[in-house]
Amino acid sequence: MSKFIATSAIRGAHGVVKDAEELLAQTIAEKGENTKIGFPNTAYWLPVIYGLTGHKVETLKDLKWPLEYARSLLPPVPKEKLWLPYLGETLDSGTATLFAEEAIEGLRFIRSEQPEKRNGFVCNGPIDDVQMRSWGIQMVDGRMPGFAAIVGAAKSNEVAVKIVRELQSKGLLVFLSGNVKGRSIIDQLLESGIELGYATFTVPFGTDTISAIYALGYATRAAFSFGGFTPGNARDVLLYNKFRCFAFALALGQVDDLKYATAAGAITYGFPVIADTLIPNVLPVGITRYEHVVSLPFDDIAGKDDLERAERLVQRCIEIRGVKVKVKKINIPVAYGPAFEGEVVRKANLSHEFGGKGGMCFELLQMKDMDEVQDGKIEVVGPDVDTLPLGNHPLAITVSVAGRKMQKDFEPVLERQIHHFVNGAEGIQHMGQRDITWIRFNKDSVAKGFRIKNLGDILHAKLQDDFGAIVDKVQVTLYTEKGKVAELLAKAREIYSERNVRAAGLTDESVDTYYSCTLCQSFAPTHVCVINPERVGLCGAYNWLDCRASFEINPRGPNQPVPKGAQVDTNKGEWDNVNKFVFDNTQMTHKRMTLYSLMDAPMTTCGCCECVMVLIPEANGVMIVSRDDYSMTPCGMTFTSLMGMVGGGQQTPGMMGHGKYYITSKKFIPAEGGLRRVVWMSSNLKEELTEDLKAVCERLGEPDLLDKIADEKVATTVEELMPFLETKGHPALTMPPLL
Ligand code: SF4
Ligand code: ZN
């Protein structure tokens, strides 16, 4: 252990613990110790303190103990530069620092000093739970390998932009905080016109070092949500982060005592710290997987200029952390990577668009015989954007694929990827699918040389990269002439409706094999989705056909066939082989799993479900709250707090996560009476599914059932719910008792 780092970290920890104590005393004096404290939109209180100790900080009074504990961890500040053969005291200082920093941010929220406002820009502050979970899914499916927490400021604005772009193009989430002599990387990026926020994977926490604590709060909550840990198990949280969360801290510019102390805190999470200045290395491994602290002085990095040095710096960070990056380079004139998927092309910056209101654009992917497809051939029939005037134009995207393992069933699965593939290009936005496709190019990207033809380059490269196991050849033809597009569109519509008929004909009874999805086990080890034709995975992203295709593509992957076996219970949807599969694949945690029941051995729930349904005993029915509904619900909990209870691979009779389209399925909890049991549903679900739900009501012979289901606009408590149900004469009130 370097003497220098130990001394600085201990000194830094003393300073910040003292600051926290003083701020707490002052705030209690001003507001009283019963004042509520917490971060917005999270169900995890102050998450680092809660995660590591199990202590819930709800009021100022509750903050006293964590700070006393932090103080007790502090070793005396060494008079001489301390030599320690082990990291113990430095790590204790690190933990004390994290508690103090989180306390300070919590207090600042009460004092209206968070999130930070800077020259008219409002920093993000902590990440909310909804965002945390949605990134969790991307971490599960490998699109996002991890995160980089940058603290400080880069050598120049160009270097700052380059570092962030490099990290984004590797799919890494970028957290921004800190400053060097008052100048922050956040300033540098804003001055360079970079869009910061959730959508671009760049989260500006704040411009001081203390706000870096939000990165660890995020990591702690991810461990809970996806690892299924109980709070207070510091060791589990740390091990989870060390092995499952590919994160590192990157200190840009001079490192002071507080940064050392914070770095020591990051190391306790297993996150290595890389500095672009000369500081002592701490190379032996132990807490982190690889080196603890690595110094890579920026000007010493080989490279012909600063931009090349920035690229190398990011490359080294990735090697040190051992991040697995899947993204390959695509030959187009703009940047490409998952960080660009959330970008919006606004009107002011719009160059050309295809489809959307009054427009005509569609995409169709079809399999052909081997000799009908010429791999890599990309053709634009009609003018490209260099000759088309600005504005809306027709576009047909037709993709032909061939491969020995390709099957007709995979066509829609591959076609649905076009959305995600095209969106990865910087300045290009893709919405919808099939004949409701809507694509927008922004001016900057067209100025950089982006053309319609490049859509073909992207599709060819990505289909080959991601689906090389089934696709051998990919050819793309893009049409931009109105008459031709209209003619092809009519043919495409025939194909879409053939596919619809086929999918609708798929019932649970018509197949003898279901599929599993264990993608989420890297986060929730005892969770498994069993996916039948009439029920999607709870994240909504996988249906039976998708899983079947995915199994064919990758036979050792997360989607395995589950032959149903003998039926144990028709009504509850229980099969002996499904039970066996679940038992064998949940670390022998769950002995049974029914597919049609909420009350008896329901499916397990992980952090990415679209909806949660919960029993409301008073109403003899169930409520369904969607992820996008932030309001209170009649069960006394919000979606977020419910997730804290059921997520993580547990099986909880009376509570279950599910996909939103499951509600419209014939196999929607038939054991409990199906949609007739639903007494409350988030209004956004009602709106989004109106047409489908109406059809279900007709099918059930209760055409006005939908009006009898309450939502957050009429009831957020059981007391409000009951009179509503009684007035409407909701069927659940007279159905057989659920309990
Ligand atoms: Fe996770 Fe289930 Fe979705 Fe698979 S289907 S990604 S296991 S939620
Ligand atoms: Zn999940």
Side-chain angles (χ1 to χ4, degrees), residues 48 50-54 216 219-245 268-271 287 321 522-523 525 587:
V48 170
Y50 181 55
L52 298 187
T53 67
L216 299 167
T220 308
R221 288 178 293 153
F224 281 150
S225 289
F226 301 106
F229 300 126
T230 43
N233 284 329
R235 196 167 174 273
D236 283 346
V237 173
L238 305 185
L239 286 179
Y240 177 86
N241 279 297
K242 173 175 176 178
F243 291 108
R244 296 282 173 83
C245 181
T268 66
Y269 271 72
F271 300 153
I287 314 296
R321 185 57 180 101
S522 58
F523 289 92
Q587 308 182 349

Side-chain angles (χ1 to χ4, degrees), residues 133 136-137 140 225-226 519-521 523-524 527 529 538-539 605-609 627 648:
R133 293 220 168 76
I137 300 175
V140 171
S225 289
F226 301 106
L519 256 183
C520 287
Q521 287 198 347
F523 289 92
H527 171 70
C529 278
L538 55 81
C539 60
T605 299
C606 67
C608 20
C609 57
R627 173 180 292 275

Side-chain angles (χ1 to χ4, degrees), residues 360-391:
M360 181 167 53
C361 179
F362 74 92
E363 52 205 22
L364 180 69
L365 181 143
Q366 287 179 285
M367 74 176 277
K368 300 265 167 72
D369 286 337
M370 276 291 196
D371 51 8
E372 288 177 282
V373 183
Q374 190 181 335
D375 187 46
K377 180 167 180 202
I378 293 150
E379 203 183 347
V380 179
V381 181
D384 205 323
V385 291
D386 46 356
T387 52
L388 284 169
L390 300 190

Side-chain angles (χ1 to χ4, degrees), residues 56 77 165 238 240 262 321 328 330 338 344 393 472 490 560-561 600 614 658 685 702:
K56 293 178 186 171
V77 181
R165 286 287 187 238
L238 305 185
Y240 177 86
T262 308
R321 185 57 180 101
K328 260 201 234 153
I330 298 180
V344 175
H393 300 278
D472 297 322
Q560 293 296 318
D600 186 21
V614 186
H658 59 92
L685 280 177
E702 300 223 25

Side-chain angles (χ1 to χ4, degrees), residues 598-599 612-625 633-635 653-656 668-669 671-681 705 708-710 718 721-722 725-726 730-739:
L598 166 69
M599 301 305 292
V612 191
M613 77 171 94
V614 186
L615 169 73
I616 304 282
E618 294 87 342
N620 196 34
V622 302
M623 53 154 271
I624 299 175
V625 55
T633 73
C635 74
M655 279 190 188
M656 174 169 74
F668 175 73
I669 53 167
E672 282 79 31
L675 195 66
R676 278 196 198 87
R677 273 296 173 188
V678 179
V679 293
W680 187 100
M681 191 190 301
L705 178 59
K708 297 178 181 172
I709 300 176
V718 170
L721 176 64
M722 293 311 293
L725 300 177
E726 276 152 23
H730 193 290
L733 300 176
T734 53
M735 284 167 79
L738 272 178
L739 287 175

Side-chain angles (χ1 to χ4, degrees), residues 118-119 121 154 156-158 160-161 182-196:
R118 188 169 175 93
N119 310 328
F121 176 79
S156 66
N157 286 13
E158 289 87 62
V161 173
R183 207 161 153 66
S184 170
I185 178 134
I186 296 176
D187 304 324
Q188 296 181 311
L189 296 171
L190 289 174
E191 283 164 17
S192 312
I194 303 293
E195 225 179 286
L196 303 181

